[in-house]
Amino acid sequence: MFFSCLFWVLGVCTALGQKDAEPLPDSLLTEDHIYEFTFSDFDKAVRIIEQMRRRDLLPEYRLDIVEGDLYFNTGRYHQGLKYYRRALESDSVRNNDLDYMEQLHRMISSYDCLHDERQKAVYVELLYQKAKECNNLEMQSVALFNMGKMIYYQEDKERGYELVKNAIDLMKRSDYKYKYDNLRYDYNTLLIMQQRDKLYEEGLKTLDLLAAVVAEDTVGTPAIDGLVNKEQKTMYAQRAVLLSRLGRLEEADEAYQRWRKIGAKYSKDDYLITPYLMDRKRYDDVIALYSPREQFLRENKDTVNYHMMSVLRSLGKAYESKGDYRTSSRYYEQLALLTDSLKVREQDSAAIELATVYETNEKEAQIQQQKNELVVTRIWLISTAGAVFLLGLILWLISRNLRVIRRKNRAMVKQIKEQLSFSEIMEQRICELEQKLQKAELLTASLSQPVTDQNRSESREQELFVSFHRLLVEEQLYKEPNLTRDDIVARLGINKNLLVAILQQYAGVSFSDYVNNLRLSYTLELLSSPDNDTIEVIAEKSGFGSTRTLYRLFRERYDMSPTDYKRIVMNP
């Protein structure tokens, strides 16, 4: 019965594989159709190139170039780089100056998107030397543009702008087949630089130049379905930002509505609209824009990258602007951790990924042949290794379950550690308020105008919040198990309702939550300490009335017991 089921599954899988491999019409098996479906139907583009490879419809190096373009244009830079590198190493490319420079250009673009300035600089130098040798305007333009961009971000801005604009002028004078693609990219990059330097009027002029390029007749360039709409959406976003920054709000809103009308398509560059949304205080729209992206990155375990950095920064700023300081602090803390380690991790990850992609895909023809041989021998393997398979499956499931549990525990501990700095976050908030109060006092002293009641009331509330926090922390009152709100109210000389309002305004929590957060933060420190204190001792030191109370609050907050947490921390 078992073997019958296996044969049935095998038959179904084989049938599905045959369905997926169903040949496409010969009319679609062209290089131009791959570019056409790049954005509108990526899966079809992949199927076209797979079938073109099987039938040897183009030279191998040319298929590598086209497949590299397919992955690069859809943001899969590591995968595209593998094919670009393979094409660059082929004799057909190296023996042709134009093809060789084209591939150097592709390598530069890939490393630029991967933020690998060292490798990028190597290929920029190679391209510039070869372009000068061949007196090739378009490739000199590409090299100069990338030089200018690198110099600009090294803060030599004047020289950076000069090189970028010279590069654009060279490209305009060229007869390059991909002239308009390069000009679009050049102008978009120049726009980002101008926005960064607050040159908004110049940015609008650059945007007009970009619009003219997008509308140009691009006969002879491989068609990419949807590219014009994609560029139009990007330009509407940039125009909305520039006009908003210039105070031309009605025009900015009109550009935003046109951006929205294009819809959810071409969402890769939707982040460009964020400055406009923040200017117009559309914080919920910012959150709605980035939350799905955050969820996608976390579900795919792809959180150590510049995309995640942008997501965390934007969400933190949006929640801060809404007054949700607790959520904002959590995002800023994650952003700080990511920023500290991103450079090293990204380089290590890129090196490993590139090596893995290259090694596992280098001989695709041989792999395909091995798959065909496996189909022939599969029945024999199943009939002779059924028992071993079952035993292996059971062992694998057990091992996998244990790994999942360990990974979950480690993830939970990591998440809990992120909560450790509640007191630090509040301390930072207190310091900011103290600085604000000092500035307010200096300003009041320097002006002859009387302070308004509203300003006086706001300053009074801020002073009370600072005093409340200092009283709890510096005198370590939160460690007293019998501490009550009445004790604090008496010390501060205010009424209960005012204290409640102040805590909600500046911390977003109640009195008991505030005190318990400080206690839990201190508990986490004690649990992570090499001192072998018992849970009972830790509960007493942290200010909890009983071990039972500690267990209850700890489990409610972190979904695990203090005992489990200490065990995992001591034995990671």
Side-chain angles (χ1 to χ4, degrees):
M1 179 66 180
F2 166 74
F3 292 112
S4 298
C5 291
L6 283 177
F7 286 131
W8 178 79
V9 171
L10 175 61
V12 170
C13 292
T14 302
L16 289 174
Q18 291 174 346
K19 182 177 179 180
D20 289 340
E22 182 179 346
L24 295 166
D26 289 349
S27 60
L28 286 180
L29 301 184
T30 66
E31 182 177 335
D32 285 350
H33 279 107
I34 295 171
Y35 287 105
E36 178 181 347
F37 293 117
T38 294
F39 294 119
S40 60
D41 194 339
F42 176 80
D43 291 338
K44 180 178 285 188
V46 171
R47 289 179 60 201
I48 291 173
I49 201 164
E50 286 175 349
Q51 294 191 28
M52 290 180 70
R53 282 190 184 278
R54 282 198 293 269
R55 295 172 58 176
D56 295 326
L57 296 181
L58 283 176
E60 189 70 20
Y61 81 91
R62 188 63 212 168
L63 287 168
D64 286 337
I65 292 172
V66 175
E67 188 155 4
D69 288 348
L70 174 65
Y71 288 116
F72 176 86
N73 288 331
T74 52
R76 299 163 172 86
Y77 305 121
H78 287 303
Q79 189 75 352
L81 193 59
K82 182 204 67 167
Y83 291 103
Y84 286 162
R85 189 191 304 279
R86 197 161 67 182
L88 185 64
E89 292 172 352
S90 75
D91 291 338
S92 298
V93 170
R94 288 190 172 273
N95 293 331
N96 184 300
D97 287 339
L98 288 177
D99 288 344
Y100 177 66
M101 287 188 289
E102 289 280 7
Q103 280 312 104
L104 291 176
H105 181 192
R106 288 180 169 92
M107 298 292 286
I108 291 167
S109 298
S110 298
Y111 284 119
D112 181 49
C113 292
L114 291 169
H115 306 281
D116 190 337
E117 296 296 300
R118 183 176 61 83
Q119 287 293 336
K120 176 184 172 183
V122 171
Y123 289 101
V124 168
E125 183 177 359
L126 288 173
L127 179 60
Y128 187 70
Q129 291 175 355
K130 176 60 73 171
K132 288 288 287 184
E133 176 187 324
C134 299
N135 195 28
N136 184 292
L137 290 182
E138 55 262 26
M139 289 303 149
Q140 288 183 55
S141 169
V142 171
L144 284 176
F145 176 84
N146 283 279
M147 287 181 192
K149 184 177 177 182
M150 288 189 291
I151 289 172
Y152 170 85
Y153 283 106
Q154 291 170 5
E155 298 305 321
D156 188 352
K157 295 185 177 181
E158 183 177 352
R159 188 173 169 216
Y161 275 120
E162 181 181 356
L163 287 173
V164 167
K165 290 178 180 178
N166 288 343
I168 291 173
D169 183 60
L170 282 175
M171 186 60 69
K172 284 181 176 179
R173 289 159 46 196
S174 75
D175 295 322
Y176 188 34
K177 181 178 181 180
Y178 301 104
K179 171 180 178 178
Y180 300 105
D181 289 339
N182 281 269
L183 285 174
R184 281 195 294 266
Y185 177 75
D186 292 355
Y187 280 130
N188 274 303
T189 303
L190 182 58
L191 268 170
I192 292 172
M193 292 162 57
Q194 290 168 334
Q195 286 187 34
R196 185 172 183 256
D197 295 332
K198 300 182 180 179
L199 303 174
Y200 304 129
E201 291 287 0
E202 292 187 25
L204 284 177
K205 296 177 183 177
T206 300
L207 196 57
D208 290 337
L209 294 173
L210 173 59
V213 169
V214 171
E216 282 279 0
D217 181 10
T218 56
V219 174
T221 300
I224 299 180
D225 192 24
L227 180 60
V228 173
N229 287 335
K230 176 179 179 295
E231 291 289 343
Q232 288 287 356
K233 187 176 183 182
T234 297
M235 287 190 295
Y236 286 140
Q238 291 166 328
R239 190 172 295 278
V241 172
L242 291 169
L243 291 170
S244 173
R245 294 294 162 87
L246 288 169
R248 295 159 61 176
L249 300 182
E250 291 185 3
E251 295 172 79
D253 292 342
E254 181 181 355
Y256 172 66
Q257 292 302 323
R258 293 189 176 186
W259 178 87
R260 287 191 62 188
K261 188 175 293 185
I262 295 178
K265 284 187 175 182
Y266 324 111
S267 60
K268 179 174 175 287
D269 295 324
D270 280 358
Y271 68 91
L272 293 170
I273 199 67
T274 304
Y276 163 82
L277 295 176
M278 294 298 295
D279 288 349
R280 302 297 280 152
K281 299 182 180 181
R282 297 175 179 265
Y283 308 129
D284 288 331
D285 290 347
V286 175
I287 293 170
L289 181 66
Y290 281 95
S291 293
R293 183 61 177 166
E294 178 193 16
Q295 181 180 356
F296 174 83
L297 291 173
R298 294 193 185 282
E299 288 177 351
N300 287 273
K301 303 186 185 335
D302 184 22
T303 57
V304 185
N305 53 51
Y306 284 90
H307 301 298
M308 192 63 173
M309 179 184 288
S310 175
V311 167
L312 294 176
R313 182 186 295 110
S314 298
L315 287 173
K317 188 174 181 181
Y319 279 111
E320 180 184 25
S321 300
K322 287 187 65 176
D324 188 348
Y325 299 113
R326 172 183 286 182
T327 305
S328 174
S329 298
R330 189 175 78 247
Y331 279 110
Y332 280 139
E333 186 175 5
Q334 294 176 31
L335 175 62
L337 292 171
L338 177 59
T339 303
D340 288 341
S341 61
L342 184 60
K343 286 293 183 182
V344 174
R345 291 186 183 182
E346 184 182 61
Q347 292 299 326
D348 291 343
S349 174
I352 293 171
E353 182 180 353
L354 286 170
T356 302
V357 168
Y358 190 85
E359 292 171 2
T360 57
N361 294 282
E362 188 61 22
K363 298 180 179 179
E364 291 178 349
Q366 294 181 11
I367 293 174
Q368 185 62 41
Q369 183 179 356
Q370 291 172 1
K371 288 181 179 179
N372 293 335
E373 293 173 354
L374 284 174
V375 171
V376 176
T377 60
R378 188 175 297 169
I379 295 176
W380 178 83
L381 288 174
I382 292 174
S383 62
T384 58
V388 176
F389 169 78
L390 284 176
L391 178 60
L393 179 61
I394 293 171
L395 292 175
W396 178 78
L397 288 173
I398 294 172
S399 174
R400 178 177 179 274
N401 187 52
L402 291 174
R403 287 198 304 272
V404 169
I405 292 173
R406 286 196 296 268
R407 185 163 60 249
K408 180 181 178 183
N409 286 338
R410 287 195 296 268
M412 291 175 66
V413 168
K414 180 179 179 182
Q415 182 179 1
I416 292 171
K417 284 184 176 180
E418 292 177 354
Q419 302 294 328
L420 182 63
S421 59
F422 174 83
S423 58
E424 296 174 359
I425 295 172
M426 287 297 103
E427 187 66 29
Q428 181 181 358
R429 181 62 178 160
I430 292 299
C431 291
E432 293 173 354
L433 288 175
E434 287 177 337
Q435 294 174 2
K436 184 177 180 180
L437 289 169
Q438 290 175 0
K439 291 180 181 178
E441 290 177 0
L442 292 174
L443 183 62
T444 301
S446 63
L447 296 175
S448 59
Q449 298 177 350
V451 181
T452 65
D453 291 340
Q454 180 179 354
N455 290 339
R456 187 180 293 109
S457 175
E458 182 180 357
S459 297
R460 173 59 177 161
E461 290 177 354
Q462 293 172 354
E463 291 172 354
L464 287 173
F465 180 68
V466 171
S467 300
F468 167 77
H469 180 80
R470 295 294 184 214
L471 184 64
L472 285 179
V473 174
E474 294 179 359
E475 297 188 21
Q476 297 189 351
L477 295 181
Y478 69 89
K479 295 182 181 179
E480 297 180 8
N482 297 321
L483 179 69
T484 65
R485 184 173 61 181
D486 291 336
D487 296 334
I488 300 300
V489 167
R491 293 285 297 271
L492 294 175
I494 60 176
N495 62 59
K496 296 179 182 179
N497 293 335
L498 180 57
L499 178 60
V500 169
I502 290 173
L503 288 179
Q504 286 296 326
Q505 172 71 21
Y506 295 101
V509 296
S510 65
F511 172 82
S512 59
D513 285 341
Y514 198 103
V515 173
N516 284 333
N517 281 339
L518 294 176
R519 289 171 175 167
L520 287 172
S521 292
Y522 188 60
T523 297
L524 292 174
E525 293 181 20
L526 295 177
L527 290 171
S528 301
S529 171
D531 296 338
N532 198 23
D533 289 339
T534 64
I535 300 300
E536 290 76 14
V537 172
I538 291 174
E540 182 180 352
K541 287 183 177 181
S542 300
F544 292 102
S546 66
T547 305
R548 182 177 179 181
T549 301
L550 170 58
Y551 268 87
R552 178 176 59 81
L553 291 175
F554 199 98
R555 188 176 292 279
E556 286 177 356
R557 177 63 59 83
Y558 305 123
D559 198 27
M560 67 190 312
S561 70
T563 304
D564 290 338
Y565 179 86
K566 186 173 181 65
R567 174 176 52 80
I568 296 169
V569 170
M570 294 297 105
N571 300 283

